[in-house]
Amino acid sequence: MKQIRNFCIIAHIDHGKSTLADRLLQTTGTVGDRDLQAQTLDDMDLERERGITIKSHAIQMNYRLDNQDYILNLIDTPGHVDFSYEVSRAIASCEGALLIVDASQGIEAQTISNLYLALEHNLEIIPVLNKMDLPSASPEEVKDQIVELIGCQREDILPASGKTGQGVDLILEAIVKRIPPPQGDPSAPLQALIFDSMYNNYRGVVAYFRVFNGRIRSGERVKFVNSGKEYLADEIGILKLKPQPRETVETGDVGYIISGIKQAREVQVGDTITSMERPCIEGIKGFEEVKPMVFAGIYPVETEDYEELRDSMEKLQLNDASLVFEPESSAALGFGFRCGFLGMLHMEIIQERLEREFDMTVITTVPNVSYFCQTTKGEMLTVNNPSDLPDPSHIDFIEEPFIHAQVITKSDYIGPVIELCMHKRGVITNQTYLSSNRVEITFDMPLGEIVFDFYDKLKSISRGYASFDYHLIGYRQSRLVRMDIRLNTEPVDALSALIHADKAYELGKKMCEKLKELLTRQQFEVAIQASIGAKIIARETLKALRKDVTAKCYGGDISRKRKLLEKQKKGKKRMRQVGNVEIPQSAFLAVLKLD
């Protein structure tokens, strides 16, 4: 155990984690030059295309220092705020972390957030200044920021470059010397934490674990503590670039287990594996639960694909434990699932992975967040969908989720950033200058306001310089109302929204105008209305397509024309009573992008 080091890499998005991981793999000879490619550990096409890490990846490296062989277990983590759950799982399995900061961009919001996660788990932090080869690098200024943030010595910060390979040997040496070896008792009953899993079409579920106490042997009977299920460890091994089978995996090591599990729901990330011969008394504690932030419905295009979609979602959940879903049905779309995501990028990635990996074309409804509603009878209801909200006369008050957000930006953009936050009902709580031209603004605001376009707007007003991070701080009372969109007095469920009373009129008017553009004209007049309860707050009218019935009258008495027009009017009225208006999918999506 003294020769094992478990560590992860944490950083803000695009600060060069995956490139530096490539250099570590190359220097330790874990991956041959023939197998090496840019972002070796990012094995999904989607990760390569977008240049972001979506999944944590574990790999074992062998390193020799002072005539002593060491085993280094690396977990490369994502940097985007939407995948912070992956980071928390990696941190729970490690004793140390490389904190990577881009020498040209300095410290950003996600760096701080991931660092606090690591400090909560008492990890040893090794600060690394990456991208030193860039002409725009300002190492002295960024070093000051790091010293101020974590209180280390200036000489503890390692200069490096993932591109040229500068400083990689120093990093490997620091990992061995600074990160403590894993603690644990090899002779105690087996305790291993499952931190990730994936689905293999031929072998079933493959679970990745970290052994905290005892050892696991190939062929022995094991038990998953939380689910209470028993299995035979058909194959166990360690994680190199390709999995390598072993007879035993010892305390402190990271490995995988294949036990022929076919049902995806039987493996839970955060569960504890123990032996049947000598079971441990309790599971491993301190593993955090996933907190979905954004909810949306996912429905198959064809209703008969429902079961296939369920299978695909379960297999995807194995690979991405932060996806939460439950069945629901809608009058317009049939059977589907209500899914919880960590953010809008996460939702986009899930939709794309369903299409690519499982050939499932799906319809996604308007994303929203969860609310609490207290009725006049004193009941507390959880409202996931605006249509679940009771009648306004039965509502005492509504609470919505609030977040504590931090934005780090250049001081030139303070004005527009504060204006955007205040427009989204944010309250500024603090403003700190990190350096002469970098400022950190913290504010509290409703989660519902950032769900759609907040991040995109923040990027455009700051020309890409602002970084954003947030966490949930609880629920607060708000003046919220349910706004319905009606077509010929019939409410359209999928377009209902829970919004703040002050913004209802403005949004209702915009939605009616947008729908008037998007809906095709019918043989009868269509009234498009926005309403709160029984009160109509906005209206647009889509005129009917009409045949000119008076064309055949040339001259003659006006009463003949009037008779024909009255007859047409009656027909249109009858048609309107039985007619249906189809809403195209483009209308649902366009309503989201109103601004």
Side-chain angles (χ1 to χ4, degrees):
M1 266 167 59
K2 288 195 177 112
Q3 272 70 52
I4 297 175
R5 300 287 182 274
N6 295 320
F7 71 100
C8 59
I9 300 183
I10 53 177
H12 187 81
I13 189 167
D14 209 21
H15 278 205
K17 295 178 297 300
S18 299
T19 314
L20 200 64
D22 288 352
R23 293 294 85 74
L24 293 174
L25 297 177
Q26 200 176 9
T27 310
T28 55
T30 308
V31 178
D33 290 343
R34 195 174 63 176
D35 293 329
L36 193 78
Q37 49 182 333
Q39 298 160 298
T40 308
L41 293 179
D42 293 351
D43 51 10
M44 242 186 275
D45 295 343
L46 205 53
E47 291 179 314
R48 290 257 154 83
E49 277 169 33
R50 292 182 176 229
I52 57 175
T53 304
I54 294 168
K55 285 286 302 161
S56 296
H57 293 274
I59 191 163
Q60 192 177 94
M61 303 181 283
N62 294 56
Y63 179 60
R64 193 170 178 80
L65 180 71
D66 304 334
N67 294 326
Q68 185 77 31
D69 287 324
Y70 292 94
I71 293 171
L72 312 180
N73 289 314
L74 154 71
I75 303 179
D76 179 25
T77 62
H80 197 281
V81 60
D82 279 14
F83 303 110
S84 54
Y85 184 63
E86 292 278 336
V87 181
S88 75
R89 285 162 35 187
I91 285 172
S93 323
C94 295
E95 279 82 34
L98 294 184
L99 177 75
I100 293 181
V101 181
D102 185 328
S104 62
Q105 294 182 47
I107 283 174
E108 304 210 34
Q110 200 55 31
T111 319
I112 296 174
S113 149
N114 287 343
L115 173 72
Y116 288 156
L117 257 179
L119 290 173
E120 275 172 32
H121 284 78
N122 297 324
L123 264 62
E124 178 66 36
I125 309 289
I126 300 176
V128 177
L129 205 54
N130 197 19
K131 304 195 184 181
M132 289 290 284
D133 56 314
L134 290 181
S136 59
S138 45
E140 294 310 312
E141 192 184 322
V142 180
K143 272 185 184 175
D144 290 341
Q145 292 176 18
I146 297 175
V147 169
E148 200 175 321
L149 182 67
I150 59 177
C152 63
Q153 302 298 317
R154 283 181 82 86
E155 51 273 14
D156 290 347
I157 301 168
L158 306 174
S161 163
K163 200 172 183 181
T164 61
Q166 171 199 342
V168 173
D169 291 324
L170 286 172
I171 293 173
L172 287 164
E173 201 174 308
I175 290 167
V176 170
K177 289 184 174 168
R178 292 195 213 170
I179 294 175
Q183 302 295 315
D185 182 358
S187 57
L190 170 67
Q191 264 188 323
L193 173 78
I194 298 177
F195 66 88
D196 204 355
S197 55
M198 59 164 284
Y199 191 81
N200 182 312
N201 284 338
Y202 304 104
R203 315 219 36 197
V205 178
V206 182
Y208 298 140
F209 61 84
R210 147 87 201 267
V211 183
F212 279 88
N213 289 311
R215 61 163 64 97
I216 183 167
R217 292 183 189 82
S218 176
E220 77 173 320
R221 290 200 69 76
V222 292
K223 179 181 173 183
F224 289 13
V225 175
N226 289 358
S227 64
K229 295 273 183 14
E230 297 169 18
Y231 304 102
L232 187 71
D234 290 340
E235 184 185 305
I236 58 166
I238 55 160
L239 300 154
K240 292 280 191 179
L241 193 58
K242 297 209 165 43
Q244 289 190 357
R246 291 282 162 93
E247 279 304 306
T248 59
V249 176
E250 306 284 336
T251 307
D253 225 333
V254 174
Y256 70 91
I257 176 170
I258 299 175
S259 48
I261 304 170
K262 292 288 181 282
Q263 289 297 321
R265 62 177 80 90
E266 290 178 21
V267 177
Q268 297 166 337
V269 169
D271 204 345
T272 306
I273 304 176
T274 189
S275 164
M276 285 301 293
E277 279 177 33
R278 287 173 65 207
C280 62
I281 299 159
E282 57 178 5
I284 298 163
K285 297 272 189 305
F287 200 79
E288 75 172 64
E289 282 294 304
V290 58
K291 294 196 271 299
M293 299 281 186
V294 175
F295 295 87
I298 286 187
Y299 292 87
V301 176
E302 300 294 332
T303 327
E304 60 263 25
D305 295 342
Y306 174 72
E307 282 302 324
E308 202 179 322
L309 179 62
R310 181 199 288 276
D311 279 357
S312 308
M313 298 278 276
E314 282 179 357
K315 286 173 186 169
L316 196 55
Q317 193 179 31
L318 263 183
N319 199 252
D320 182 350
S322 48
L323 169 66
V324 178
F325 65 91
E326 57 184 42
E328 76 163 3
S329 62
S330 139
L333 301 166
F335 289 105
F337 295 97
R338 174 170 188 73
C339 306
F341 307 98
L342 296 180
M344 291 295 273
L345 176 72
H346 187 213
M347 175 173 138
E348 208 179 304
I349 295 288
I350 292 290
Q351 203 174 340
E352 190 124 342
R353 285 184 70 185
L354 279 171
E355 286 188 14
R356 286 188 184 206
E357 295 172 28
F358 303 100
D359 271 344
M360 292 300 306
T361 314
V362 292
I363 296 169
T364 312
T365 63
V366 179
N368 60 6
V369 296
S370 261
Y371 300 91
F372 286 145
C373 169
Q374 171 111 356
T375 63
T376 44
K377 291 178 181 171
E379 291 176 282
M380 189 62 110
L381 308 173
T382 305
V383 178
N384 290 328
N385 224 332
S387 53
D388 301 343
L389 200 69
D391 189 80
S393 58
H394 297 155
I395 296 173
D396 187 6
F397 62 82
I398 300 175
E399 292 181 338
E400 65 175 329
F402 267 69
I403 56 164
H404 183 70
Q406 59 184 158
V407 171
I408 297 178
T409 182
K410 286 195 166 180
S411 45
D412 315 359
Y413 306 116
I414 287 183
V417 168
I418 290 178
E419 197 181 324
L420 172 68
C421 297
M422 290 176 81
H423 177 66
K424 297 283 189 184
R425 297 193 283 136
V427 178
I428 307 285
T429 55
N430 199 0
Q431 187 175 323
T432 322
Y433 276 85
L434 301 172
S435 67
S436 57
N437 68 341
R438 288 173 76 78
V439 64
E440 178 189 11
I441 306 165
T442 57
F443 47 90
D444 295 347
M445 69 189 292
L447 178 63
E449 293 284 348
I450 67 157
V451 164
F452 300 135
D453 55 357
F454 178 82
Y455 196 61
D456 296 343
K457 281 188 174 170
L458 182 68
K459 281 291 181 199
S460 60
I461 61 173
S462 67
R463 298 188 189 166
Y465 277 110
S467 63
F468 173 65
D469 182 47
Y470 62 87
H471 60 267
L472 204 61
I473 52 170
Y475 284 73
R476 296 182 188 174
Q477 281 190 35
S478 291
R479 282 178 52 232
L480 296 173
V481 290
R482 177 173 121 200
M483 186 181 74
D484 290 316
I485 298 293
R486 298 169 180 271
L487 295 181
N488 283 346
T489 71
E490 285 296 312
V492 181
D493 267 1
L495 290 176
S496 297
L498 262 177
I499 48 173
H500 198 264
D502 298 347
K503 292 191 171 182
Y505 172 72
E506 184 191 344
L507 186 70
K509 188 151 182 57
K510 277 186 185 170
M511 283 173 91
C512 290
E513 285 168 0
K514 193 76 178 174
L515 283 170
K516 186 181 177 183
E517 287 170 33
L518 294 165
L519 294 179
T520 45
R521 285 175 69 187
Q522 307 290 327
Q523 291 284 349
F524 49 90
E525 193 176 87
V526 178
I528 304 165
Q529 298 166 315
S531 69
I532 296 172
K535 184 183 175 189
I536 304 295
I537 56 168
R539 172 181 170 134
E540 292 289 331
T541 308
L542 192 65
K543 293 290 180 201
L545 285 168
R546 294 177 56 213
K547 180 181 167 189
D548 187 1
V549 287
T550 58
K552 60 186 176 192
C553 302
Y554 43 94
D557 190 8
I558 186 70
S559 60
R560 269 192 73 205
K561 288 186 180 177
R562 195 167 289 142
K563 187 177 166 190
L564 288 167
L565 287 168
E566 284 298 323
K567 191 177 172 188
Q568 185 189 33
K569 194 173 167 187
K570 274 184 189 166
K572 294 283 182 203
K573 192 176 175 185
R574 197 163 56 243
M575 199 187 272
R576 179 178 167 174
Q577 284 166 353
V578 296
N580 271 335
V581 185
E582 284 286 312
I583 302 180
Q585 176 68 19
S586 59
F588 289 109
L589 299 174
V591 168
L592 296 186
K593 302 189 174 83
L594 275 176
D595 295 341

